[in-house]
Amino acid sequence: GIKGNPVAFIAMFLGMGVVGAMVMRLLLGFSTIPSLLFFVGVGVILPYLVLRRARNKRIARFATQLPDALDMIVRSLRAGHPTSVAIGLVAREMPDPLGTEFGIVSDEITFGLSLEQAVRKLSERVGFEGLNLLAVSLSMQAKTGGNLTEILSNLSKVLRERQKLRLKVRALSA
């Protein structure tokens, strides 16, 4: 299907643009310029907007799930599990998109990347600023030491508060 197939996705929009432009030009009698503008709008701009909207929805779902995932890691660490096992637990138990992305992090750690490097790559891949905070927190903890469970628990609280504040701002500005 089209889901997961970028060539089919692009071809669908380009095809709609070509067909729409031809209908406008040949059947409806529009000149070349409006037909060309229709093609550019449907064939180029519309797919960009669709992909941007899907990306923003995915990041929003990720942002909603991240505090729960951090809490799950904290509980696992307090139970005595190593960090890699805690991340693997999140990968198995959390739904997409967070579960899938943490599965990639778990695989990267298994193949030899440090936790800090794997989370930094995750932050670059997903594009959510909360992951940047997580990467910085893990980096500082790795260099200076400290209680990882406390750091992650505090980060979870901060992310939840930021989300509440963002929702309040949205509600007040509506």
Side-chain angles (χ1 to χ4, degrees):
I2 289 179
K3 187 172 183 151
N5 187 348
V7 174
F9 180 81
I10 292 168
M12 179 183 71
F13 282 102
L14 288 175
M16 288 189 315
V18 167
V19 168
M22 289 177 74
V23 165
M24 284 180 69
R25 178 79 176 111
L26 300 175
L27 296 179
L28 301 177
F30 281 87
S31 68
T32 305
I33 301 294
S35 299
L36 188 63
L37 290 175
F38 179 83
F39 169 74
V40 169
V42 172
V44 179
I45 296 171
L46 189 60
Y48 170 76
L49 294 175
V50 168
L51 288 176
R52 196 172 87 189
R53 183 170 184 262
R55 176 182 174 270
N56 289 340
K57 283 175 70 175
R58 183 176 169 87
I59 290 173
R61 280 196 313 267
F62 200 95
T64 303
Q65 294 173 327
L66 186 59
D68 294 333
L70 292 176
D71 290 342
M72 190 181 293
I73 291 172
V74 166
R75 286 192 302 272
S76 182
L77 291 174
R78 285 186 178 147
H81 296 126
T83 310
S84 58
V85 171
I87 289 175
L89 176 70
V90 168
R92 284 191 310 276
E93 299 296 324
M94 294 294 289
D96 192 50
L98 192 129
T100 303
E101 292 295 339
F102 268 73
I104 294 169
V105 169
S106 179
D107 291 344
E108 288 174 341
I109 291 170
T110 301
F111 294 131
L113 256 86
S114 70
L115 174 63
E116 175 190 344
Q117 291 169 324
V119 172
R120 187 170 292 119
K121 284 179 71 174
L122 172 68
S123 176
E124 292 169 5
R125 215 174 29 246
V126 174
F128 172 57
E129 75 273 358
L131 285 171
N132 227 4
L133 292 172
L134 178 60
V136 169
S137 300
L138 291 173
S139 175
M140 288 175 56
Q141 190 271 342
K143 289 182 174 93
T144 63
N147 188 349
L148 181 60
T149 57
E150 188 176 323
I151 291 169
L152 294 179
S153 180
N154 288 337
L155 181 58
S156 172
K157 289 175 191 167
V158 166
L159 291 174
R160 277 198 175 89
E161 291 302 317
R162 286 175 75 181
Q163 198 168 16
K164 284 180 190 175
L165 185 61
R166 205 174 277 128
L167 291 173
K168 279 183 182 179
V169 167
R170 187 178 294 161
L172 290 173
S173 66

